[in-house]
Amino acid sequence: MIFVDSCVLIDVIEEDPAWSGWSQSALDEWGRRGPVCIGPVVYAELSPDYDSPAALDNLLERAGIEFREMPREALFLAARVHQDYRRRGGGRSGVLSDFFIGAHARVANVPLLTRDTRRFRAAYPDLVLVAP
């Protein structure tokens, strides 16, 4: 099993010329190994481009991507790691979602497929990242 960061899915959905090939290849490879999953935060990040939950669910089902709820332990961990980040002077914009995504993968003890490794490596040094 692997969790997927939204940037990888957006690469494929939007056919990003620089990254869609790598992202699709990684999704295909990990799909052969076992479940490819997203949590509530990635679902929310993808949602604005769809007219309804059913439309997004249809895309995810066709892509073979499973939705997994986030356990309370991951919610708690994300809040604590984000608090430490802020105490060290980290900025506010666009970061909390990454802490939730990383915590979900960390608590599930599965790798995270992402292109944005900097914050994940700093916040969760023992999280296995699959990245270019």
Side-chain angles (χ1 to χ4, degrees):
M1 177 178 3
I2 193 167
F3 275 89
V4 180
D5 191 7
S6 56
C7 63
V8 173
L9 297 172
I10 291 168
D11 289 345
V12 174
I13 293 165
E14 294 182 357
E15 299 178 1
D16 182 278
W19 290 107
S20 63
W22 181 86
S23 294
Q24 185 63 62
S25 222
L27 287 167
D28 292 344
E29 177 184 335
W30 282 91
R32 287 188 292 273
R33 295 182 186 193
V36 174
C37 305
I38 64 167
V41 174
V42 171
Y43 189 94
E45 289 178 335
L46 296 175
S47 293
D49 292 330
Y50 296 88
D51 293 331
S52 67
L56 178 52
D57 291 345
N58 184 42
L59 169 84
L60 296 172
E61 184 178 330
R62 285 185 287 124
I65 297 170
E66 299 178 14
F67 177 83
R68 300 287 169 101
E69 289 292 347
M70 190 177 302
R72 286 187 178 123
E73 182 181 357
L75 297 169
F76 188 86
L77 176 60
R80 298 302 289 264
V81 170
H82 183 255
Q83 182 181 44
D84 290 344
Y85 165 82
R86 294 287 297 137
R87 284 184 180 146
R88 290 189 315 273
R92 288 184 184 259
S93 68
V95 299
L96 185 56
S97 61
D98 286 347
F99 289 107
F100 282 116
I101 293 165
H104 197 178
R106 174 61 189 84
V107 167
N109 198 29
V110 299
L112 177 65
L113 179 60
T114 185
R115 285 189 299 96
D116 183 17
T117 60
R118 183 182 52 85
R119 193 171 293 126
F120 292 118
R121 284 194 203 288
Y124 305 102
D126 57 344
L127 176 61
V128 174
L129 298 176
V130 176

